[in-house]
Amino acid sequence: GAVVSQHPSWVICKSGTSVKIECRSLDFQATTMFWYRQFPKQSLMLMATSNEGSKATYEQGVEKDKFLINHASLTLSTLTVTSAHPEDSSFYICSAGDRGRIDTQYFGPGTRLTVL
Amino acid sequence: QKEVEQDPGPLSVPEGAIVSLNCTYSNSAFQYFMWYRQYSRKGPELLMYTYSSGNKEDGRFTAQVDKSSKYISLFIRDSQPSDSATYLCAMSDGYNTDKLIFGTGTRLQVFP
C-alpha cells in the first residue's frame, strides 16, 4: 500500500520557537495533503488542506499565520508551527491522497509535539 | 453536540469474541462512512469504506450503515490480540470529499 512518512516523529521545543514538520508520500504522488491535529482523547481535527503549488485552505478557527503550510511538490508538504506555545502541544498527523478520492487518504505516523 | 459521537471505551474482550463498535452522527448529509484502525503512535489506516446505507463485509470485518437512525457499526468476528488498537469512524458528506469528520475513537483490547 501507499506509504506516507513524517519527520520528526516527536519533538520537544521551548515556548516561542518555531517547529517544522515534514510529510512525504514515498511511493506515490499526492495531489492533495491534509494536516490534522489530535488532542488526547479527542478526534482527529482537520486543520488545513493543501494542494501542490497553491495556497493551503484552512479550517475555521485555525490561524494560518501560526500554522504555515507549504506544499512545494507532489511528494512533500511541510507544517511550521510558529511561535509555539504549550497549548500547541498535540499529535499532528498528515495524510496524502488524490483529490476527491475519499478512500485514498493515506495517513502518516504522526508527530508528537511538546512545547515547554 | 458533536457531529460524530463514539464511545471512547476502553473495550476489553477475550480472544475469539465478536466485537461491536458503533458511532452515531447528527448530519443527515453524510453519505460516505469509513472505519480506520490506529495502533499506538501510528497513523490511522483505512479498514472499511461504505457509501450510503447497507452492509459491507471484508474477511472478519463487517461494516453496517443505518442512515435512518444515523448509526454505523463495525463488527469484528473471531477477534485476535492483534486487533487491539483504537478504531475511528469517519464520515463525509460527499460534496466536500476532502473533509473527513472523525469520531474520538474506541480503544479495543483483545486479551488471549
Side-chain angles (χ1 to χ4, degrees):
Chain A
V3 179
V4 176
S5 71
Q6 278 184 246
H7 178 80
S9 55
W10 58 271
V11 57
I12 300 173
C13 69
K14 291 183 179 179
S15 185
T17 60
S18 294
V19 174
K20 181 185 282 188
I21 303 169
E22 290 186 351
C23 176
R24 292 181 185 272
S25 56
L26 298 185
D27 51 3
F28 69 102
Q29 292 185 326
T31 53
T32 307
M33 288 186 171
F34 308 88
W35 287 95
Y36 294 83
R37 183 166 50 183
Q38 186 177 32
F39 292 108
K41 294 184 170 58
Q42 294 190 25
S43 311
L44 271 79
M45 297 295 294
L46 181 65
M47 299 175 66
T49 303
S50 72
N51 294 295
E52 184 261 342
S54 61
K55 288 185 179 180
T57 302
Y58 291 81
E59 294 299 305
Q60 191 173 10
V62 178
E63 300 173 57
K64 62 180 181 181
D65 294 330
K66 181 170 183 62
F67 298 100
L68 302 179
I69 292 172
N70 184 283
H71 192 160
S73 75
L74 286 170
T75 59
L76 173 64
S77 176
T78 60
L79 168 68
T80 301
V81 183
T82 62
S83 186
H85 291 282
E87 58 266 29
D88 298 322
S89 298
S90 186
F91 193 51
Y92 291 87
I93 302 179
C94 71
S95 70
D98 289 328
R99 187 173 182 82
R101 289 290 309 276
I102 201 162
D103 59 336
T104 58
Q105 274 198 42
Y106 301 102
F107 286 82
T111 297
R112 171 88 46 203
L113 169 64
T114 302
V115 184
L116 301 176
Chain B
Q1 183 190 10
K2 291 181 183 177
E3 278 193 285
V4 180
E5 298 275 1
Q6 186 175 9
D7 188 335
L11 182 62
S12 187
V13 301
E15 184 175 356
I18 296 174
V19 176
S20 173
L21 303 166
N22 311 294
C23 288
T24 59
Y25 62 95
S26 58
N27 188 346
S28 57
F30 286 147
Q31 298 186 71
Y32 297 87
F33 304 91
M34 276 72 65
W35 285 96
Y36 288 84
R37 178 174 60 196
Q38 185 177 20
Y39 291 111
S40 181
R41 297 190 183 89
K42 301 288 186 184
E45 57 174 328
L46 183 65
L47 271 180
M48 300 285 284
Y49 160 57
T50 52
Y51 170 71
S52 194
S53 285
N55 294 358
K56 187 173 185 178
E57 189 173 319
D58 184 1
R60 296 185 295 111
F61 298 91
T62 300
Q64 284 187 353
V65 175
D66 182 349
K67 289 189 71 179
S68 63
S69 301
K70 297 191 182 70
Y71 188 87
I72 70 169
S73 301
L74 177 70
F75 297 97
I76 307 174
R77 289 184 298 282
D78 188 26
S79 56
Q80 303 294 310
S82 57
D83 295 328
S84 299
T86 296
Y87 290 80
L88 301 143
C89 62
M91 308 177 189
S92 171
D93 59 15
Y95 295 104
N96 182 2
T97 55
D98 297 327
K99 186 169 181 178
L100 296 175
I101 308 299
F102 281 87
T104 53
T106 299
R107 192 158 62 91
L108 171 67
Q109 184 175 4
V110 182
F111 56 90

